[in-house]
Amino acid sequence: MLDISHVTFSYSNGKAKAVDDLSFSLKAGEIFGFLGENGAGKTTIIKLATGILPLTQGDIKVCGHDIRTDSVEAKRNFGFVPDAPVIFDKYTGREYVDFLGDIYGVPVESRGSRIEPLLKKFALEEAFDKRISGYSKGMKQKIAVIGSLIHDPMLWILDEPMMGLDPPSAFALKEIMRERAESGKTVFFSTHVLDVAEKICDRVAIIHKGRLGLLGDMDEIKSAKGDESLENIFMTVAGDATQGEN
């Protein structure tokens, strides 16, 4: 579903590597948590995987499509929710989702069956035909989530998706994640909310300063670490990485 191979990336000054020789792959039907402290490189690798940043070293493939040489097909196969979605405020929720449906070539007759269950989960039925300019931050986040799924992507990429959501909406989002995975799709999300990752992820990767610190099945990792909490495991990995730099 997503293959990241030996990716390295530095920002314009080139002095510090935001991503340093990072490699991992995602399987069909899993929820994959991408963990790391602020500045660890999570958002950078997501921007590289989605084509927002130019890939200069290494390879990234989405469902077998190279993000550099076959970018249109790669982008057809994922839905993306950034950490701060930019939405056209003058549209209604319906107009915004239809706009995305048009971009992805989703038949009009197929849209209702995809949209309606999501509107119900997020309690957005009444607001769907109102202008987004009147939406709260959480409502904008929810309409961005709905829009990202209009084309039923094989890979769903979310960057800190719980930010701005109230508890019922966060619960609904986790339900949708699990439903996607159970249908054979893949969910890839970054977060620093470790208790959420611990409860819903099948596998996790922990990165520190752009480097891979730990990768594996959630249950196997906890068992190998003496059934410690993910928070303790995270702190150990980050601490070991820091010591390795000294």
Side-chain angles (χ1 to χ4, degrees):
M1 289 293 191
L2 177 65
D3 185 56
I4 294 173
S5 179
H6 299 291
V7 170
T8 295
F9 184 84
S10 299
Y11 286 99
S12 56
N13 59 21
K15 294 179 181 179
K17 292 179 180 177
V19 179
D20 189 1
D21 194 26
L22 196 63
S23 298
F24 60 89
S25 296
L26 274 61
K27 300 178 290 188
E30 71 173 343
I31 300 177
F32 189 99
F34 196 40
L35 315 178
E37 72 274 21
N38 291 337
K42 302 189 304 296
T43 296
T44 298
I45 201 69
I46 285 175
K47 287 182 176 180
L48 290 167
T50 53
I52 295 171
L53 287 175
L55 183 62
T56 56
Q57 187 173 341
D59 296 291
I60 296 178
K61 293 182 179 180
V62 178
C63 299
H65 301 284
D66 192 297
I67 194 64
R68 282 183 294 197
T69 61
D70 196 12
S71 61
V72 172
E73 285 305 313
K75 291 173 183 179
R76 288 185 194 279
N77 280 279
F78 69 75
F80 176 45
V81 182
D83 58 346
V86 177
I87 301 175
F88 304 125
D89 279 4
K90 292 185 178 180
Y91 281 5
T92 65
R94 187 183 301 276
E95 289 170 341
Y96 173 73
V97 174
D98 276 336
F99 169 69
L100 293 175
D102 291 343
I103 287 176
Y104 284 104
V106 179
V108 174
E109 59 271 18
S110 301
R111 298 179 189 181
S113 61
R114 296 179 184 178
I115 294 169
E116 289 168 10
L118 299 172
L119 291 174
K120 186 174 182 180
K121 279 184 179 293
F122 284 133
L124 274 182
E125 298 103 321
E126 293 184 8
F128 195 45
D129 287 303
K130 296 180 180 178
R131 290 193 184 277
I132 294 172
S133 58
Y135 283 16
S136 66
K137 180 179 179 180
M139 292 168 70
K140 290 180 180 179
Q141 179 81 352
K142 289 185 279 188
I143 204 69
V145 167
I146 293 171
S148 73
L149 294 175
I150 187 63
H151 58 303
D152 192 25
M154 294 300 295
L155 173 64
W156 194 23
I157 304 173
L158 307 99
D159 192 3
E160 299 288 357
M162 305 297 173
M163 299 292 289
L165 294 182
D166 57 23
S169 299
F171 180 82
L173 180 60
K174 287 181 280 187
E175 277 193 325
I176 297 166
M177 287 181 174
R178 180 49 59 193
E179 289 167 2
R180 302 290 298 175
E182 289 175 352
S183 70
K185 311 297 196 306
T186 298
V187 179
F188 175 48
F189 79 105
S190 75
T191 185
H192 58 260
V193 184
L194 300 180
D195 60 335
V196 170
E198 185 168 8
K199 290 175 183 176
I200 70 171
C201 289
D202 300 302
R203 289 196 302 149
V204 297
I206 299 175
I207 65 168
H208 177 75
K209 294 190 175 181
R211 300 174 186 170
L212 185 63
L214 185 68
L215 170 66
D217 177 274
M218 189 68 254
D219 291 334
E220 290 177 357
I221 288 173
K222 290 183 68 177
S223 178
K225 298 289 185 179
D227 290 321
E228 291 188 38
S229 69
L230 183 57
E231 182 177 22
N232 288 339
I233 294 168
F234 178 89
M235 294 306 297
T236 299
V237 170
D240 288 347
T242 302
Q243 292 170 17
E245 293 161 6
N246 295 331

Coordinates of all heavy atoms in Angstrom, one line a residue, residues 35-100:
L35 N 4.7 7.5 14.8 CA 4.8 8.2 16.1 C 6.2 8.9 16.2 O 7.2 8.5 15.6 CB 4.7 7.2 17.3 CG 3.6 6.2 17.2 CD1 3.7 5.3 18.4 CD2 2.2 6.9 17.1
G36 N 6.2 10.0 16.9 CA 7.4 10.8 17.1 C 7.1 12.1 17.8 O 5.9 12.6 17.7
E37 N 8.1 12.7 18.4 CA 7.9 14.0 19.1 C 7.7 15.0 18.0 O 8.0 14.8 16.8 CB 9.0 14.3 20.0 CG 10.3 14.6 19.4 CD 11.2 13.4 19.0 OE1 10.6 12.3 18.9 OE2 12.4 13.6 18.8
N38 N 7.3 16.2 18.4 CA 7.3 17.4 17.5 C 8.6 17.6 16.9 O 9.7 17.6 17.6 CB 6.8 18.6 18.2 CG 5.4 18.6 18.7 OD1 4.6 17.8 18.1 ND2 5.1 19.4 19.7
G39 N 8.7 17.7 15.6 CA 9.9 17.9 14.9 C 10.7 16.6 14.5 O 11.8 16.7 14.0
A40 N 10.1 15.5 14.8 CA 10.7 14.2 14.5 C 10.8 13.9 13.0 O 11.7 13.1 12.6 CB 10.0 13.1 15.2
G41 N 10.0 14.5 12.2 CA 10.0 14.2 10.8 C 8.7 13.6 10.3 O 8.6 13.2 9.1
K42 N 7.7 13.5 11.1 CA 6.4 12.8 10.7 C 5.8 13.5 9.6 O 5.4 12.9 8.6 CB 5.5 12.7 11.9 CG 6.0 12.0 13.2 CD 4.9 11.8 14.2 CE 4.2 13.0 14.7 NZ 5.2 14.0 15.4
T43 N 5.5 14.8 9.7 CA 4.8 15.6 8.7 C 5.7 15.7 7.4 O 5.1 15.6 6.3 CB 4.5 17.0 9.2 OG1 3.6 16.9 10.3 CG2 3.9 17.8 8.1
T44 N 7.0 15.7 7.6 CA 7.8 15.8 6.4 C 7.7 14.5 5.6 O 7.5 14.6 4.3 CB 9.3 16.0 6.8 OG1 9.5 17.2 7.4 CG2 10.2 16.0 5.5
I45 N 7.7 13.4 6.2 CA 7.6 12.1 5.4 C 6.2 12.0 4.8 O 6.0 11.5 3.7 CB 7.9 10.9 6.3 CG1 8.3 9.7 5.4 CG2 6.8 10.5 7.2 CD1 9.6 9.8 4.6
I46 N 5.2 12.5 5.5 CA 3.8 12.5 4.9 C 3.8 13.4 3.7 O 3.2 13.1 2.7 CB 2.8 12.9 6.0 CG1 2.6 11.7 6.9 CG2 1.5 13.3 5.4 CD1 1.7 12.0 8.1
K47 N 4.4 14.6 3.8 CA 4.4 15.5 2.6 C 5.2 14.9 1.5 O 4.8 15.2 0.3 CB 5.0 16.9 3.1 CG 4.0 17.7 3.9 CD 4.6 19.0 4.3 CE 3.6 19.9 5.1 NZ 4.2 21.2 5.5
L48 N 6.2 14.2 1.7 CA 6.9 13.5 0.7 C 6.1 12.4 0.0 O 6.0 12.3 -1.2 CB 8.2 12.9 1.2 CG 9.3 14.0 1.6 CD1 10.4 13.3 2.4 CD2 9.9 14.6 0.4
A49 N 5.4 11.6 0.9 CA 4.6 10.5 0.4 C 3.4 11.0 -0.4 O 2.9 10.3 -1.3 CB 4.1 9.7 1.6
T50 N 2.9 12.2 -0.1 CA 1.7 12.7 -0.9 C 2.1 13.6 -2.0 O 1.3 14.2 -2.7 CB 0.8 13.5 0.1 OG1 1.6 14.5 0.8 CG2 0.2 12.6 1.1
G51 N 3.4 13.9 -2.2 CA 3.9 14.7 -3.3 C 3.9 16.2 -3.1 O 4.1 17.0 -4.0
I52 N 3.6 16.6 -1.8 CA 3.6 18.0 -1.5 C 5.0 18.5 -1.5 O 5.3 19.7 -2.0 CB 2.9 18.2 -0.1 CG1 1.4 17.9 -0.2 CG2 3.1 19.7 0.3 CD1 0.7 17.8 1.1
L53 N 6.0 17.8 -1.0 CA 7.4 18.1 -1.0 C 8.0 17.2 -2.1 O 7.7 16.1 -2.3 CB 8.1 17.8 0.3 CG 7.8 18.8 1.5 CD1 8.4 18.3 2.7 CD2 8.2 20.2 1.1
P54 N 9.0 17.8 -2.8 CA 9.7 17.0 -3.9 C 10.6 16.0 -3.3 O 11.5 16.3 -2.4 CB 10.5 18.0 -4.6 CG 10.7 19.1 -3.6 CD 9.5 19.2 -2.7
L55 N 10.5 14.7 -3.7 CA 11.4 13.7 -3.3 C 12.7 13.7 -4.0 O 12.7 13.7 -5.2 CB 10.7 12.3 -3.5 CG 11.4 11.1 -3.1 CD1 11.6 11.1 -1.6 CD2 10.7 9.8 -3.5
T56 N 13.8 13.9 -3.2 CA 15.1 14.1 -3.9 C 16.0 12.9 -3.7 O 17.0 12.7 -4.4 CB 15.8 15.4 -3.3 OG1 15.8 15.3 -1.9 CG2 15.0 16.6 -3.7
Q57 N 15.8 12.1 -2.6 CA 16.6 10.9 -2.4 C 15.8 9.8 -1.8 O 15.1 10.0 -0.8 CB 17.8 11.3 -1.4 CG 18.8 10.2 -1.2 CD 20.0 10.7 -0.4 OE1 20.2 11.9 -0.2 NE2 20.7 9.8 0.2
G58 N 15.9 8.6 -2.4 CA 15.1 7.5 -2.0 C 13.9 7.3 -2.9 O 13.7 8.0 -4.0
D59 N 13.0 6.4 -2.6 CA 11.9 6.0 -3.4 C 10.6 5.9 -2.5 O 10.7 5.4 -1.4 CB 12.1 4.7 -4.2 CG 13.2 4.8 -5.2 OD1 13.1 5.5 -6.2 OD2 14.3 4.2 -4.9
I60 N 9.5 6.3 -3.1 CA 8.2 6.2 -2.4 C 7.2 5.7 -3.5 O 7.1 6.3 -4.5 CB 7.7 7.5 -1.8 CG1 8.7 7.9 -0.6 CG2 6.3 7.3 -1.2 CD1 8.3 9.2 0.0
K61 N 6.5 4.6 -3.1 CA 5.5 4.1 -4.0 C 4.2 4.0 -3.3 O 4.1 3.5 -2.1 CB 5.9 2.7 -4.6 CG 7.1 2.8 -5.6 CD 7.4 1.4 -6.2 CE 8.6 1.6 -7.1 NZ 8.9 0.2 -7.7
V62 N 3.1 4.4 -3.9 CA 1.7 4.2 -3.4 C 1.0 3.2 -4.2 O 0.8 3.5 -5.4 CB 1.0 5.6 -3.4 CG1 -0.4 5.4 -2.8 CG2 1.7 6.6 -2.5
C63 N 0.6 2.1 -3.7 CA 0.0 1.0 -4.4 C 0.7 0.7 -5.7 O 0.1 0.4 -6.7 CB -1.5 1.4 -4.7 SG -2.5 1.6 -3.2
G64 N 2.1 0.7 -5.6 CA 2.9 0.3 -6.7 C 3.2 1.5 -7.7 O 4.0 1.3 -8.6
H65 N 2.7 2.7 -7.4 CA 2.9 3.8 -8.3 C 3.9 4.7 -7.7 O 3.8 5.2 -6.6 CB 1.6 4.5 -8.6 CG 0.5 3.7 -9.2 ND1 0.5 3.4 -10.5 CD2 -0.6 3.1 -8.6 CE1 -0.5 2.6 -10.8 NE2 -1.2 2.4 -9.7
D66 N 5.0 5.0 -8.4 CA 6.0 5.9 -8.0 C 5.5 7.3 -7.9 O 4.9 7.9 -8.8 CB 7.2 5.9 -9.0 CG 8.5 6.5 -8.4 OD1 8.4 7.7 -8.2 OD2 9.5 5.8 -8.3
I67 N 5.7 8.0 -6.7 CA 5.2 9.3 -6.4 C 5.9 10.3 -7.3 O 5.3 11.4 -7.6 CB 5.3 9.7 -4.9 CG1 4.5 10.9 -4.6 CG2 6.8 9.9 -4.6 CD1 3.0 10.7 -4.8
R68 N 7.1 10.0 -7.8 CA 7.7 11.0 -8.7 C 7.3 10.8 -10.2 O 7.0 11.8 -10.9 CB 9.2 10.9 -8.6 CG 9.8 11.5 -7.4 CD 11.3 11.4 -7.3 NE 11.8 10.1 -7.1 CZ 13.0 9.7 -6.7 NH1 13.9 10.7 -6.5 NH2 13.3 8.5 -6.6
T69 N 7.4 9.6 -10.7 CA 7.2 9.3 -12.1 C 5.8 9.0 -12.5 O 5.5 9.0 -13.7 CB 8.2 8.2 -12.5 OG1 7.8 7.0 -11.8 CG2 9.6 8.5 -12.3
D70 N 5.0 8.6 -11.5 CA 3.6 8.2 -11.8 C 2.7 8.9 -10.8 O 1.9 8.2 -10.1 CB 3.5 6.7 -11.8 CG 2.2 6.2 -12.4 OD1 1.5 7.0 -13.1 OD2 1.9 5.0 -12.2
S71 N 2.9 10.2 -10.6 CA 2.3 10.9 -9.5 C 0.7 10.9 -9.5 O 0.1 10.8 -8.5 CB 2.8 12.3 -9.4 OG 2.5 13.0 -10.5
V72 N 0.2 11.0 -10.7 CA -1.3 11.1 -10.8 C -1.9 9.8 -10.4 O -2.9 9.8 -9.6 CB -1.7 11.5 -12.3 CG1 -3.2 11.3 -12.4 CG2 -1.3 12.9 -12.7
E73 N -1.4 8.7 -10.8 CA -2.0 7.4 -10.4 C -1.7 7.2 -8.9 O -2.6 6.6 -8.2 CB -1.4 6.3 -11.2 CG -2.0 6.2 -12.6 CD -3.5 6.1 -12.6 OE1 -4.1 5.3 -11.8 OE2 -4.1 6.8 -13.4
A74 N -0.6 7.6 -8.4 CA -0.3 7.5 -7.0 C -1.3 8.2 -6.2 O -1.9 7.7 -5.2 CB 1.1 7.9 -6.7
K75 N -1.6 9.4 -6.6 CA -2.6 10.3 -5.9 C -4.0 9.8 -6.0 O -4.8 10.1 -5.1 CB -2.4 11.7 -6.3 CG -1.1 12.4 -5.9 CD -0.8 13.7 -6.6 CE 0.5 14.2 -6.2 NZ 0.8 15.6 -6.8
R76 N -4.3 9.1 -7.0 CA -5.7 8.5 -7.1 C -5.9 7.5 -6.1 O -7.1 7.2 -5.7 CB -5.9 7.9 -8.5 CG -6.0 8.8 -9.7 CD -6.3 8.0 -10.9 NE -6.1 8.8 -12.1 CZ -7.0 9.7 -12.6 NH1 -8.1 9.9 -12.0 NH2 -6.7 10.4 -13.7
N77 N -4.9 6.9 -5.5 CA -5.0 5.8 -4.6 C -5.0 6.1 -3.2 O -5.1 5.3 -2.3 CB -3.9 4.7 -4.9 CG -4.2 3.9 -6.1 OD1 -5.0 2.9 -6.0 ND2 -3.7 4.2 -7.3
F78 N -4.7 7.4 -2.8 CA -4.8 7.8 -1.4 C -5.7 9.0 -1.2 O -6.0 9.8 -2.1 CB -3.4 8.1 -0.9 CG -2.7 9.4 -1.4 CD1 -3.1 10.6 -0.9 CD2 -1.6 9.3 -2.3 CE1 -2.5 11.8 -1.4 CE2 -1.0 10.4 -2.7 CZ -1.4 11.7 -2.3
G79 N -6.2 9.0 0.0 CA -7.0 10.2 0.5 C -6.1 10.8 1.6 O -5.5 10.1 2.4
F80 N -6.1 12.1 1.7 CA -5.2 12.8 2.7 C -5.9 13.8 3.5 O -6.7 14.7 2.9 CB -4.1 13.4 1.9 CG -3.1 14.2 2.7 CD1 -2.6 13.8 3.9 CD2 -2.7 15.5 2.2 CE1 -1.7 14.5 4.6 CE2 -1.8 16.2 3.0 CZ -1.3 15.8 4.2
V81 N -5.7 13.8 4.8 CA -6.2 14.8 5.7 C -5.0 15.4 6.4 O -4.3 14.8 7.3 CB -7.1 14.2 6.8 CG1 -7.7 15.4 7.7 CG2 -8.3 13.5 6.1
P82 N -4.6 16.7 6.1 CA -3.4 17.3 6.7 C -3.8 17.7 8.1 O -4.9 17.7 8.6 CB -3.2 18.5 5.8 CG -4.5 18.8 5.2 CD -5.2 17.5 5.0
D83 N -2.7 18.1 8.9 CA -2.9 18.5 10.2 C -3.7 19.8 10.3 O -4.4 20.1 11.4 CB -1.6 18.6 11.0 CG -0.6 19.6 10.3 OD1 -0.9 20.0 9.2 OD2 0.4 20.0 11.0
A84 N -3.7 20.7 9.3 CA -4.4 21.9 9.3 C -5.1 22.0 7.9 O -4.6 22.7 7.0 CB -3.5 23.1 9.6
P85 N -6.2 21.4 7.7 CA -6.9 21.4 6.4 C -7.2 22.8 5.9 O -7.7 23.6 6.7 CB -8.2 20.6 6.7 CG -7.9 19.7 7.9 CD -7.0 20.6 8.7
V86 N -7.0 23.1 4.7 CA -7.4 24.3 4.0 C -8.6 24.0 3.2 O -8.5 23.2 2.2 CB -6.2 24.9 3.2 CG1 -6.7 26.2 2.5 CG2 -5.0 25.2 4.0
I87 N -9.7 24.6 3.6 CA -11.0 24.3 2.9 C -11.6 25.6 2.4 O -11.5 26.7 3.0 CB -12.0 23.7 3.9 CG1 -11.3 22.4 4.5 CG2 -13.3 23.3 3.3 CD1 -12.2 21.7 5.6
F88 N -12.3 25.5 1.2 CA -12.9 26.7 0.6 C -14.1 27.1 1.4 O -15.2 26.5 1.3 CB -13.3 26.4 -0.8 CG -12.1 25.9 -1.7 CD1 -12.2 24.7 -2.3 CD2 -11.0 26.6 -1.8 CE1 -11.2 24.2 -3.1 CE2 -9.9 26.1 -2.5 CZ -10.0 24.9 -3.2
D89 N -13.9 28.2 2.2 CA -15.0 28.6 3.1 C -16.3 29.1 2.5 O -17.3 29.1 3.1 CB -14.4 29.8 4.0 CG -13.6 29.3 5.1 OD1 -13.3 28.1 5.2 OD2 -13.1 30.1 5.9
K90 N -16.2 29.5 1.2 CA -17.4 30.0 0.6 C -18.3 28.9 0.0 O -19.4 29.1 -0.3 CB -17.1 31.0 -0.6 CG -16.4 32.3 -0.1 CD -16.2 33.2 -1.2 CE -15.6 34.5 -0.7 NZ -15.4 35.5 -1.8
Y91 N -17.8 27.6 0.0 CA -18.6 26.5 -0.4 C -19.4 26.0 0.8 O -19.1 26.2 2.0 CB -17.7 25.3 -0.8 CG -17.1 25.4 -2.1 CD1 -17.2 26.5 -3.0 CD2 -16.3 24.3 -2.6 CE1 -16.7 26.5 -4.2 CE2 -15.7 24.4 -3.9 CZ -15.9 25.5 -4.7 OH -15.4 25.5 -5.9
T92 N -20.5 25.4 0.5 CA -21.2 24.6 1.5 C -20.4 23.3 1.7 O -19.6 22.9 0.8 CB -22.6 24.3 1.1 OG1 -22.6 23.4 0.0 CG2 -23.4 25.6 0.8
G93 N -20.7 22.5 2.7 CA -20.1 21.2 2.9 C -20.3 20.3 1.7 O -19.4 19.7 1.2
R94 N -21.6 20.3 1.2 CA -21.9 19.5 0.0 C -21.1 19.9 -1.2 O -20.6 19.1 -1.9 CB -23.4 19.6 -0.2 CG -23.9 18.6 -1.3 CD -25.4 18.8 -1.6 NE -26.2 18.5 -0.4 CZ -26.6 17.4 0.0 NH1 -26.2 16.3 -0.7 NH2 -27.3 17.2 1.1
E95 N -21.0 21.2 -1.4 CA -20.3 21.7 -2.6 C -18.8 21.3 -2.5 O -18.2 21.0 -3.6 CB -20.5 23.2 -2.7 CG -21.9 23.7 -3.1 CD -22.1 25.2 -3.0 OE1 -21.3 25.8 -2.3 OE2 -23.0 25.7 -3.6
Y96 N -18.3 21.4 -1.3 CA -16.9 21.0 -1.2 C -16.6 19.6 -1.5 O -15.7 19.2 -2.2 CB -16.4 21.4 0.3 CG -15.0 20.9 0.6 CD1 -13.9 21.5 0.0 CD2 -14.8 19.8 1.4 CE1 -12.6 21.1 0.3 CE2 -13.5 19.3 1.7 CZ -12.4 20.0 1.1 OH -11.2 19.5 1.4
V97 N -17.5 18.7 -0.9 CA -17.3 17.3 -1.1 C -17.6 16.9 -2.6 O -16.9 16.1 -3.2 CB -18.2 16.5 -0.2 CG1 -18.2 15.0 -0.5 CG2 -17.8 16.7 1.3
D98 N -18.6 17.6 -3.2 CA -18.8 17.3 -4.6 C -17.7 17.8 -5.5 O -17.3 17.2 -6.5 CB -20.1 18.0 -5.1 CG -21.3 17.2 -4.8 OD1 -21.2 16.0 -4.7 OD2 -22.4 17.8 -4.6
F99 N -17.0 18.9 -5.1 CA -15.9 19.4 -5.8 C -14.8 18.3 -5.8 O -14.2 18.0 -6.9 CB -15.4 20.7 -5.2 CG -14.0 21.1 -5.6 CD1 -13.8 21.6 -6.9 CD2 -12.9 21.1 -4.8 CE1 -12.6 22.1 -7.3 CE2 -11.7 21.5 -5.2 CZ -11.5 22.0 -6.5
L100 N -14.5 17.7 -4.7 CA -13.5 16.7 -4.6 C -13.9 15.4 -5.4 O -13.1 14.8 -6.1 CB -13.2 16.3 -3.1 CG -12.6 17.4 -2.3 CD1 -12.5 16.9 -0.9 CD2 -11.2 17.7 -2.9

